[in-house]
């Protein structure tokens, strides 16, 4: 075992023989006899490794394909074209979304204009309160119902399987930083059957997620005495914040929460969603604003057309230290492990 798997799930999606499943945040072999006895493996199938961004020289491959060059040591937050603060003007979107609600506003606009026919995102689980699970949404109500962050892991690319069953052909992937490299890996390695279904790649800035038991059982219930049914929102702003139905904000030390980091996140090198078309997050900015990093040519087209044809955001360029904030966090996240940028040959 390399311990480099971050649980993106792209390998499960693309497997033509359906011998891979997903359990406890990791791909699993479904055949009892194991992978050494696979007929398709004997024939040389390697599609799962081509879909996985942790195999081979994945970062320079995707960088070159997206940007025409590889990232340099100075590109601490990856290659980008612009950084802005933005927020949704629609109060319904702003109320439901995380921080400024910009991702939700873009998805709604994309669905209404036909640029996308669905979005791969995460929803609250029906089985475990305040757990996240992959979901496909195709309308405004679905976007708003799945808005916000849960801070447990959801393998959103898995929802591409359901999207394909529904006949969707131009979906937006909304995923954490590690997942935003999936579309680039599929394209650079010509896994075209699945890549052609994905129109947009939106990445969420992410330093880590937490295990379900650590976040929702140990911290929320046992240490803070919260009933999960009373929680309406979770956020991180230097501290772990729980918001309850009666209007309380309950704070917990982020440093103390680190012990419950999901193991797959410990080896992830990408805080800033460097291979997304557009990256989004909140880094302590004033409440109600989304840090928005426009990266690819496609991302620039999406953002420009959105602003030109659908004035649903307010933009502020006057926060001069935005880039410095992102750089500082990215440098901290990427400094903790000598193996963070390793890959599987």
């Amino acid at each position: 075992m390399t311990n480099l798997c971050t649980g993106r799930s792209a390998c499960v999606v693309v497997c033509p023989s359906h011998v891979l499943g997903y359990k406890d945040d990791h791909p699993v072999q479904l055949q009892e006899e194991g992978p050494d006895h696979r007929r398709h493996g004997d024939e040389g199938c390697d599609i799962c490794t081509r879909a996985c961004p942790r195999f081979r020289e994945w970062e320079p491959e995707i960088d070159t394909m997206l940007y025409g060059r590889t990232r340099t040591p100075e590109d601490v937050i990856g290659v980008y074209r612009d950084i802005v603060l933005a927020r949704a003007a629609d109060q319904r979107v702003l109320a439901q979304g995380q921080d400024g609600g910009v991702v939700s506003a873009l998805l709604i606009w994309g669905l209404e204009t036909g640029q996308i026919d669905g979005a791969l995102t995460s929803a609250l689980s029906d089985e475990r309160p305040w757990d996240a699970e992959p979901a496909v949404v195709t309308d405004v109500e679905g976007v708003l119902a799945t808005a916000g962050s849960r801070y447990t892991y959801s393998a959103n690319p898995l929802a591409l399987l359901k999207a394909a069953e529904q006949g969707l052909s131009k979906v937006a992937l909304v995923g954490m930083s590690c997942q935003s490299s999936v579309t680039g890996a599929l394209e650079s390695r010509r896994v075209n059957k699945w890549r052609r279904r994905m129109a947009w790649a939106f990445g969420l800035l992410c330093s880590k997620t937490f295990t379900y038991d650590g976040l929702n059982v140990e911290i929320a219930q046992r240490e803070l005495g919260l009933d999960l049914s009373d929680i309406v929102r979770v956020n991180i702003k230097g501290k772990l914040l729980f918001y309850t139905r009666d209007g309380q904000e309950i704070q917990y030390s982020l440093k103390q929460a680190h012990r419950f980091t999901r193991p797959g996140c410990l080896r992830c090198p990408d805080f800033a969603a460097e291979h997304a078309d557009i990256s989004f997050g909140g880094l302590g900015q004033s409440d109600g604003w989304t840090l928005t990093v426009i990266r690819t040519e496609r991302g620039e087209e999406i953002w420009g057309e959105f602003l030109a044809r659908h004035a649903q955001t307010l933009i502020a360029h006057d926060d001069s230290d935005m880039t410095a904030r992102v750089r500082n966090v990215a440098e901290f996240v990427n400094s903790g492990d000598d193996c963070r940028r390793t890959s599987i040959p």
Side-chain angles (χ1 to χ4, degrees):
M1 293 294 290
T2 65
N3 293 318
L4 293 178
C5 178
T6 58
R8 290 175 175 92
S9 73
C11 56
V12 180
V13 172
V14 304
C15 179
S17 299
H18 310 294
V19 297
L20 295 177
Y22 197 84
K23 182 179 181 181
D24 297 330
D25 292 343
H26 280 91
V28 294
Q29 171 64 233
L30 297 180
Q31 289 200 153
E32 293 183 3
E33 61 268 31
D36 292 338
H37 298 277
R38 270 302 302 146
R39 179 169 174 260
H40 86 279
D42 294 339
E43 294 174 351
C45 179
D46 67 346
I47 194 169
C48 56
T49 70
R50 288 190 284 133
C52 176
R54 295 313 293 269
F55 270 82
R56 307 178 184 89
E57 296 296 323
W58 63 281
E59 283 188 296
E61 284 180 10
I62 302 174
D63 284 345
T64 302
M65 188 270 299
L66 289 176
Y67 309 118
R69 67 176 180 87
T70 59
R71 71 196 301 278
T72 68
E74 289 71 36
D75 295 317
V76 177
I77 60 174
V79 181
Y80 65 92
R81 293 167 182 255
D82 198 7
I83 299 181
V84 300
L85 286 177
R87 69 180 175 190
D90 186 324
Q91 292 301 307
R92 179 182 54 161
V93 175
L94 191 58
Q96 292 294 115
Q98 193 84 351
D99 298 311
V102 176
V103 176
S104 297
L106 278 164
L107 293 178
I108 291 171
W109 168 72
L111 289 168
E112 290 177 341
T113 58
Q115 296 207 35
I116 57 173
D117 56 10
L120 315 180
T121 182
S122 67
L124 287 173
S125 171
D126 292 330
E127 299 179 0
R128 294 200 298 183
W130 271 99
D131 200 6
E133 60 185 18
V136 180
V137 297
T138 58
D139 54 25
V140 174
E141 290 71 23
V143 171
L144 295 178
T146 57
S149 299
R150 265 63 75 171
Y151 295 102
T152 56
Y153 195 76
S154 172
N156 293 357
L158 271 181
L160 189 57
L161 292 169
K162 183 177 180 181
E165 291 176 358
Q166 295 176 344
L168 304 181
S169 60
K170 45 183 180 179
V171 299
L173 170 63
V174 181
M176 285 165 279
S177 298
C178 62
Q179 298 169 9
S180 67
S181 294
V182 167
T183 53
L186 295 179
E187 183 168 348
S188 65
R189 296 167 183 172
R190 301 183 183 280
V191 188
N192 295 324
K193 173 184 176 180
W194 296 101
R195 175 61 184 95
R196 67 170 64 103
R197 291 184 180 272
M198 304 168 76
W200 298 352
F202 287 171
L204 308 177
L205 273 63
C206 177
S207 61
K208 63 170 61 65
T209 58
F210 302 100
T211 64
Y212 179 85
D213 288 342
L215 179 64
N216 293 311
V217 178
E218 294 296 332
I219 294 177
Q221 295 183 80
R222 293 180 181 172
E223 296 190 34
L224 297 178
L226 296 173
D227 187 325
L228 296 184
S229 64
D230 289 335
I231 297 174
V232 295
R233 187 187 296 266
V234 181
N235 208 340
I236 292 179
K237 297 290 184 183
K239 297 179 180 180
L240 185 57
L241 306 173
F242 296 89
Y243 298 92
T244 61
R245 295 186 186 279
D246 59 4
Q248 293 188 72
E249 178 188 273
I250 312 298
Q251 300 184 0
Y252 190 86
S253 167
L254 190 57
K255 183 177 181 180
Q256 291 297 316
H258 285 339
R259 69 190 191 277
F260 297 120
T261 299
R262 189 182 73 98
C265 297
L266 295 174
R267 298 280 179 155
C268 178
D270 188 0
F271 159 74
E274 297 178 20
H275 295 140
D277 291 317
I278 309 177
S279 307
F280 306 89
L283 291 177
Q285 289 82 11
S286 299
D287 289 344
W289 292 92
T290 300
L291 181 74
T292 306
V293 185
I294 297 97
R295 296 192 177 279
T296 66
E297 181 179 357
R298 179 61 181 142
E300 191 172 53
E301 292 172 355
I302 294 167
W303 188 250
E305 189 172 348
F306 175 59
L307 296 182
R309 300 191 180 186
H310 198 79
Q312 197 175 353
T313 58
L314 304 175
I315 309 300
H317 288 278
D318 57 355
D319 191 344
S320 59
D321 65 346
M322 284 188 294
T323 304
R325 293 184 189 185
V326 186
R327 286 179 61 91
N328 289 340
V329 176
E331 287 174 343
F332 174 78
V333 171
N334 290 336
S335 66
D337 197 315
D338 291 338
C339 297
R340 295 191 70 89
R341 292 196 175 271
T342 54
S343 59
I344 304 170

